[in-house]
Amino acid sequence: MKADRLQDIKRLFLKQKTVSNKELCQIFGISIETVRRDLNILEKEGFLRKIYGGARLIEQIDLPVPVERWDARIDKNELDKRNIASTAAAMIPDGSTVFLDAGTSIFEIVPFLLQKSNLTILTNSLRVASELGMCDHIMVYCIGGLIKPDNLTCSGFFASELLSYFYHIDYALVSCDGLIPAKGTTEYSIELSMLKKNVLDKADHIIVVADHTKFGISGSCLCCPADRIDTLVTDELAPSASLATLRDNGVEVAIAQPFHASH
């Protein structure tokens, strides 16, 4: 399968750093056209950069990259996100007050939360609110405010005003535009960054969910400092040096295990 091959290609680049097109053809038994298509996908993810005759791993990204629309991002790294979602949801006990932001990785957590009981959910995502708001065993507060049409999120004065009525949040599950291990999570939107900071100040436990493509991405503003992150849930392709830096900052790192749906 294409998704499995892309994961295997990523593992090869993490091991060798630089791989030629010819090697990829031989190792995976695919044509040069297929190699080029696969490399184009991985380059768009920010995982590698194509060079003459092959490609090399991007281990540190210093320049900001444009944020794609929500509906384009939701299909990327779908398997990694689902595994991360399953692992993160397992950390939330019944009866908790939980904040969920509007990231695509957070949206993957929603189906797993349906199995919980007596949750109180705060969210600035209209998508999350519409999914969980129909459940009679979950209480949902949609943080109002200005709606951004590209990703259906709420932010601004009214969102912060509603948050002021909540003095305590058990768990904040947050995604990010980027993650700089020595600094923390980064965002491109200052409005969303400010909203998340208000949430994080009220949270007992901060869980950041980020797949390997988020490492090294520098957004416009720092949102959650590394030493404020309690737990990071990521996938097995996350760079080991970055994980070591986070652990040095006191962050508990959880590597997501493959999710197997029960039949």
Side-chain angles (χ1 to χ4, degrees), residues 7-153:
Q7 291 292 89
D8 289 338
I9 291 174
K10 287 179 178 180
R11 291 187 182 93
L12 181 62
F13 273 95
L14 286 169
K15 182 180 180 181
Q16 293 187 203
K17 311 302 182 187
T18 301
V19 185
S20 70
N21 292 341
K22 183 178 179 181
E23 284 181 280
L24 292 169
C25 289
Q26 293 173 343
I27 293 171
F28 296 99
I30 53 179
S31 66
I32 187 64
E33 290 78 12
T34 300
V35 165
R36 287 170 179 156
R37 283 196 294 269
D38 286 353
L39 294 183
N40 283 339
I41 292 172
L42 297 180
E43 187 174 49
K44 287 180 181 178
E45 285 186 11
F47 183 79
L48 54 77
R49 180 168 290 117
K50 290 190 293 182
I51 58 176
Y52 181 76
R56 64 179 175 83
L57 177 72
I58 296 178
E59 297 186 82
Q60 180 68 29
I61 304 171
D62 295 316
L63 296 176
V65 295
V67 179
E68 292 181 291
R69 290 182 60 88
W70 195 94
D71 52 3
R73 289 183 283 121
I74 190 65
D75 294 326
K76 290 195 171 182
N77 304 318
E78 188 175 2
L79 182 59
D80 288 331
K81 290 177 181 177
R82 188 172 298 120
N83 293 338
I84 289 171
S86 173
T87 301
M91 300 176 181
I92 306 302
D94 293 341
S96 300
T97 297
V98 183
F99 172 79
L100 303 175
D101 73 17
T104 56
S105 296
I106 296 296
F107 190 71
E108 293 286 350
I109 297 175
V110 168
F112 299 102
L113 294 182
L114 294 175
Q115 305 165 24
K116 308 283 183 178
S117 62
N118 198 29
L119 293 181
T120 298
I121 301 294
L122 308 179
T123 184
N124 66 321
S125 166
L126 297 186
R127 290 184 174 91
V128 170
S130 65
E131 290 289 325
L132 294 179
M134 294 183 290
C135 304
D136 55 13
H137 63 291
I138 298 177
M139 184 178 296
V140 179
Y141 290 89
C142 184
I143 300 172
L146 180 65
I147 297 174
K148 291 182 174 292
D150 57 337
N151 54 15
L152 294 180
T153 62

Side-chain angles (χ1 to χ4, degrees), residues 193-223:
S193 179
M194 291 174 64
L195 178 68
K196 286 187 183 182
K197 284 183 176 181
N198 286 339
V199 170
L200 300 179
D201 286 342
K202 301 172 184 290
D204 279 351
H205 198 100
I206 299 170
I207 301 175
V208 173
V209 297
D211 65 41
H212 62 275
T213 64
K214 298 298 180 71
F215 284 79
I217 301 294
S218 297
S220 305
C221 35
L222 183 68
C223 182

